[in-house]
Each structure stands twice: as C-alpha cells, then as structure tokens.
Amino acid sequence: VIASSESPTKHKIGSRHRNPRGHGAELADDIVTGALAIIERTGSSEAVTLRAVAREIGIAAPSIYAHFPDRPAIVTAAVARIFDELRAAIEAGMATRGPTQPVECLVAGCEAYFTFALRNPARYSVLFSEQRLADADYCRPVSIGTGGRPLLEFGAESFALLLDGLEACVKADKSTTKDVVADATAIWVAMHGAVSLRTALPGFPWPEPEWFVRRFVLSLGGIEG
Amino acid sequence: VIASSESPTKHKIGSRHRNPRGHGAELADDIVTGALAIIERTGSSEAVTLRAVAREIGIAAPSIYAHFPDRPAIVTAAVARIFDELRAAIEAGMATRGPTQPVECLVAGCEAYFTFALRNPARYSVLFSEQRLADADYCRPVSIGTGGRPLLEFGAESFALLLDGLEACVKADKSTTKDVVADATAIWVAMHGAVSLRTALPGFPWPEPEWFVRRFVLSLGGIEG
DNA sequence: TGTACATCAGTGAACGCGCGTTCACTGATGTAC
DNA sequence: TGTACATCAGTGAACGCGCGTTCACTGATGTAC
C-alpha cells in the first residue's frame, strides 16, 4: 500500500483553507458551487451526495451539516442559482428588441430559454426534474396572484417575463389570445418538451431550434394565426 | 435477536415456487413484472435495483443474472412493455373514430396519449427519462425510413400512429402542414412537456387536458389554422 | 499587559445500510446406457 | 428395469464500495477580566 502520494482522483482534498472567523457562511457558497460542478459533470442531481460535494470542494463530509440540513437542501440551493442564470439569459435575449417589436421580443426571450437549455443541458434538466421535485415538496398548490398569474416559488421571474412578453403582443394587437396565462403555459410546456426530449434523444432528427421556437410562440400564442 | 418470525417488510420471500424444468425462462417475465411494480410504487426507475427486484418476486438476487446481464437491461425490458401498453391505448383511442373523421381521430389518439400519461405517471415518466436514456445508450442517431420517417427503436409504433393520423388529415384537406414529420414532432414534444410538467408540478394551475390536446393538435398540426 | 475562557470552523473515525457482483453449492429432474 | 451422470433452476454467504449520519475532538481566534 502506497500511502505517501496524493490520490489523483481526490483532486481537491486539502486544497481549501479554513475560512477566517466570521466568514464561516462562505462555505455554503462553495458547497453550492461544488454541487453545480457535480451536476455539470454527471448530468444528474442524483450524484450530488454529501460525500461527493465534500470531496469536490476539499472538506470533510460532516462539515456540510453546519450549512445545510440534508442533501435536497443543497440541490435546492443549486437550483435557485440556475433559475437565476436562466432569468438573466431570458432578460438579455428580450433586451435585444425594443418595446416597438413585442412579437420579436417574445420570440427572442423564448429563443434565449431554448438556447440556455440546449447549451446547459445538465443545469436545465435539474430545474424540472421529477426526481428532484419529488425530493423537495412541490405538491402543494401554487397560489394565484393578480390577473390569474400563478405565483411560483422558483422560476417565477422567468414565467413572468413570458407572460409580460405575450401581454405586450396583445396590447399591440399582435396576438388574439383570450387567455394569456393559459397560452403562455402552452408555449412554456411545448418548449420544455422540445428541449428535454432533444437532450434525452440526441439522435432523433430534430427540427432546428429556431423553427420550433417560432412555431410554438406564433401558433400557441395566437400570433399571425 | 428474534430469528424465527418472518419479517413483514420482506413480503414475498419464499412465496415463489421453482419453475419446472424447461420453463426457466418464465422467471424473466416475473423479473420484468417485479420491476414494473417497483416503478409503479416508487415512481422511479432508479429504485429498480437487482436486490429490490429479487425481493419483490421472492428470489435470490444472483438468480437474475441468468436472465439479464445488468440493471439497465431489466429497466429496458420494462420500458418495452410500457411502450406496448401506450401503443395499445392510442390505438384504442383512435379506433373510436372512423376514417371519415381524421381530425377527431387524431385528437382522440393524442387524448389517449395524454390520458395514459396522466393515469400512469410513474410508467410514463420512465419512457423518456433522461436518467434511463443515459443508462441505456440512445445517443446514436435514429435512422430515417421512407417519407423521412424516423425509425425509432422504442415507441416507433406510437409515433407512426401520430404520423398516420396527421397524414390522414392532410389527405382529407383538413391540414395545411408542409412537413408532416416536423409538425407531428412538434405535437409530440408539446404533449410530452405538458404531461411531464403536469406530473412534476401538480400544484400549478394547469388548463384542462382536453384544452391542451386540442390546442396542440389543431395549432401545431396546421388544422383550422 | 497577561491569561483564562468561549467560540468558531471545521475534522477523523466509526456505525449500519443497501448495493452489484462473485463464488461454490444444492437439489430436483431428465437421460444415456 | 436400474443407475450413473448431466443439466437445469436456482441459493447463501461473502467481498468491497459509497452512502448518510453520529460522535467526540482539535486548533485557531477572539474576548472578558
């Protein structure tokens, strides 16, 4: 048994320095970052075990308990970060079009959603993974806000961007939809199905992403019907 | 340590009789049935471990190796059964309409798909689970048959029913689609997104299934555009 | 200024568990001679 | 008809692994007096 050399598989053991006094909470950020790295590398949130995260960032496994009560809590924190990245991507996409082009603005936002999911398949797939949502407890009903808008716990801002985008089309007489929430939901689920199946079955002869997005937005959004 | 009483958690240990000579292959069926029971109970194909299946049907774990090389092979066999149930459900749905009602026939088939998924969420969720598809090896390209139809390894008959249904609408001048395969794909992914998100987020204020199905089929299929 | 003490930010060893997999085996049933 | 043998359909014990979780601990840093 060779004991002196460091194992190359445990790449980060000892690479981390103890946080100075009063900065202990910074480890929580590192834990989430480690979890994201594992999700990225394995493509699955199942691989985010306490021990794997500890290995990833070079700490002992029990140290995690000071910051997270259990495994799902780590994944939930990682998901919150991913939802924030997604929202930022959609906002950046929509910002490429001015308020005088509501249809193109909506399409650009949806294309940004699609592109984010295709470029970050591992990150995206965790967001609405049944596995994860069963671990966390998302069976309780979503409360409803003004205008019949559902108040989601996660992804609320992203869904609001979609609702706002479609509503802007209605106000500019570009959409004939009678139920913005229902039609936005239809656009969302269609895009989700497209990206998740595309990721799961990369060998299938998929249409171009742009074709999908435009078709979903225009057909399901009641635009140039 | 109490050793005499049978543990109530291992409900089926010893409940199974050895197959008669020449009927050893029948255990393979029981293994798949056990796997389906576990999928149904846990909602996940991850829970289908060799030991869990063995426990379920009352055999020793190593007995499985005579019939399946590894864990994913069991799940794949279970998935083949589920795809067959799905195809039968779609066929039954489409059979309620005659060939003179191609649009309603297509809608009925898609409603059957939707209903199957909502009534059997655990079974359905395994079919296109990224987890499972990563375990199996579905990254290789799907070959293309006549008319640009993809030749899927699983679910081919179900997808063919959708293609046939939409093509019948085109032939009856009910659909203006220019690309049957692409539009059928759009309908499929939209329905998949709807059922999988509905299952994952039961608390969301979802529209009625019938509304979703009709909207997807008519809008994305180029019917009464 | 010195020193005892409290707190913080973690660690290392150990536990019991379920897992995939291997190995040699068992006992019933058929078959060749 | 008897009997040795081959085959079939499994079993039971054991292995090493990674996991969540617990427990008592360590060592540096700040603080009260």
Side-chain angles (χ1 to χ4, degrees), chain B residues 4-36:
Chain B
S4 60
S5 69
E6 290 195 347
S7 163
T9 61
K10 303 186 174 180
H11 27 216
K12 301 218 182 174
I13 283 278
S15 70
R16 196 173 182 282
H17 288 107
R18 165 177 304 234
N19 277 323
R21 213 153 209 248
H23 296 75
E26 287 168 16
L27 180 53
D29 271 347
D30 292 0
I31 289 168
V32 174
T33 302
L36 282 171

Side-chain angles (χ1 to χ4, degrees), chain B residues 189-206:
Chain B
V189 301
M191 292 204 305
H192 172 75
V195 293
S196 61
L197 284 174
R198 199 182 186 102
T199 302
L201 298 164
F204 191 87
W206 297 108

Side-chain angles (χ1 to χ4, degrees), chain A residues 132-219:
Chain A
R132 180 185 78 76
L133 292 163
D135 277 4
D137 178 27
Y138 286 101
C139 289
R140 66 203 126 106
V142 172
S143 54
I144 310 296
T146 56
R149 290 186 169 207
L151 298 169
L152 295 161
E153 186 157 348
F154 280 114
E157 303 98 326
S158 297
F159 194 66
L161 289 171
L162 176 56
L163 287 170
D164 292 342
L166 185 54
E167 213 152 62
C169 293
V170 173
K171 281 190 182 144
D173 276 327
K174 301 289 188 182
S175 165
T176 60
T177 179
K178 284 158 196 160
D179 187 338
V180 172
V181 174
D183 283 355
T185 302
I187 294 172
W188 170 44
V189 300
M191 293 205 304
H192 173 75
V195 294
S196 61
L197 283 174
R198 200 182 188 106
T199 302
L201 298 165
F204 190 88
W206 297 108
E208 288 300 305
E210 295 79 15
W211 182 87
F212 256 149
V213 170
R214 201 161 275 275
R215 186 130 182 77
F216 289 147
V217 171
L218 301 190
S219 293

Side-chain angles (χ1 to χ4, degrees), chain B residues 102 164-175:
Chain B
D164 293 342
L166 185 55
E167 214 153 59
C169 293
V170 173
K171 282 191 181 142
D173 275 327
K174 301 288 188 184
S175 165

